[in-house]
Amino acid sequence: MTDSPPRRLRSQDWFDNPDHADMTALYLERFMNYGTTPEELRSGKPIIGIAQSGSDLNPCNRHHLDLAKRVRDGIRDAGGIPIEFPSHPLFENCKRPTAALDRNLAYLGLVELLYGYPFDGVVLTTGCDKTTPSAIMAAATVDIPAIVLSGGPMLDGWHEGKLAGSGTVIWQSRRKYAAGEITRDEFLQTALDSAPSIGHCNTMGTASTMNAIAEALGMSLTGCAAIPAAYRERGQISYRTGRRAVELVNEDIRPSDILTRGAFLNAIRVNSAIGGSTNAQPHLMAMAKHAGVALDPSDWQTHGYDVPLLANVQPAGAYLGERFHRAGGVPAIMWELMQAGLLEGDCPTVTGRSMAENLAGREATDREVIRPFDAPLMDRAGFLVLKGNLFDFAIMKTSVISEDFRARYLCQPGHEGVFEGTAFVFDGSADYHDRINDPDLPIDENSILVIRGAGPLGWPGAAEVVNMQPPDRLLKRGIRSLPTLGDGRQSGTADSPSILNASPESAAGGGLAFLRTGDRIRIDLNQGRCDMLVDDTEIARRKSEGLPPVPPSATPWQRIYRETVTQLEDGATIRGAEDFRRISATLPRHNH
């Protein structure tokens, strides 16, 4: 029996191709101009890309510029060659009209980079909300060995001796400011105090959620997601991630080996247990679609609704990222789920071991922050999936239903879980801000605030605008939230139990387009229904009037985005992009 010849690496077709000396010379030549040697690139060692998401334009990920040095050290020590390159910046707080517009653009760019250049594997640096799904979507499409390195949350924020969670404190302070309880300067200071260090949101907003999801999927080293950005362990796991990236190439472990249906169901359950962001729904749907995994919107309720809330972290709980990490982080949450039989432990991971093996001995060390499965903060903490004549699909995050909200709207004797109210409809956030405090608009505690024109087509990009606050006059009376619904999204740091991600959106002809202020809406959480109480004849008449107007596309990409995007129910992906899978199996054509 003879040994089989060693597997040729993808990069060798560029740098060590005996059939194309001319092309090899062309590919090698310009790498020499900053001191790289031909011996390195022709050594047969794996070339590992570092997809750099950090920049001055993305403060949440900026420290990856420094962490990449430790990644490089790990790659070198494991026998690989690092090549760092920039990926499209995605900064949630600052990109207008919404960062969601650019998730698919970042995905496209990374696919082209990973496919068209001589990479054998890649380290995906993530942090801010959409850097994680766009990177995993691209890795699933190209299917070269890949591993996620999250940047970690900021240190805990403090304001006047109390924890101040990034994002969450802004929504809370907006209400206080509108109610006249704090000044404008005090409002601004609470926000500034919530961001004390490098890193992404220290709450369980979308950034922390999506990095936890990456770990739950098996795409990160165990414990990676929750390490605060400023901790020494962040640099250490960066080094280990670099080493492991080389080993993944040597072992030929690819995203297609890891991103299974079981892994995605694990991620859904983890999202419920941590009180994760509603943005996880479209992002997980998008990642599953590009991985070729069958995931249905109903899976959020079938597999995630009955999962208890275990993480006592804002906005669903009390604490922030530092203490969550010290309590055991994502592995401790998953350990609880595994002990309860709710986790598929045989799923493969980037460690080369099963998820169950990774989680051995990972029980929580702080039971105030990570609750036992049988003593949770909430028994059923997942997303409710709703439908009706207003939409075919929407979700509601139950882990942020406060006792006050439940008592006010969901506890009417004999009608528990059912609420009827009068709709007040706003066409986009500008309309909402212009009219919410109009004294002639009779909004009261029995009203439902509705926003439309906020979906992938209407905004464009699907904006985080559904968590609307009540008029100032109600806030001054102590009414901190009203039922809200819409075809846009909601910030993962928000503490509002909104009905959102409604699909199809109004701009696509969904039922919200034909709702009018003054209509009655009936929400039945027991039956998973949300309906306008308007007869079919009247709805048909309104349809003849056409759809509400949407703003014109302002850039070429906005037009392309609108022409190609699917609905939030399906992940808001590029229509047809899921046809391209495992494309690294075929090498790209030479360029000369």
Side-chain angles (χ1 to χ4, degrees), residues 286-326:
M287 290 185 287
K289 185 179 291 187
H290 289 295
V293 170
L295 201 63
D296 188 85
S298 64
D299 286 328
W300 287 92
Q301 185 147 342
T302 304
H303 298 280
Y305 177 61
D306 290 328
V307 176
L309 177 63
L310 304 180
N312 190 7
V313 178
Q314 297 180 23
Y319 298 102
L320 296 174
E322 278 192 84
R323 193 161 170 185
F324 178 64
H325 164 65
R326 292 199 300 269

Side-chain angles (χ1 to χ4, degrees), residues 155-166 169 189-196 202 314 318-320 322-323 326:
L155 300 178
D156 291 357
W158 294 87
H159 178 75
E160 296 182 348
K162 296 181 180 179
L163 284 170
S166 52
V169 77
Q189 193 59 50
T190 59
L192 301 180
D193 288 348
S194 71
N202 47 32
Q314 297 180 23
Y319 298 102
L320 296 174
E322 278 192 84
R323 193 161 170 185
R326 292 199 300 269

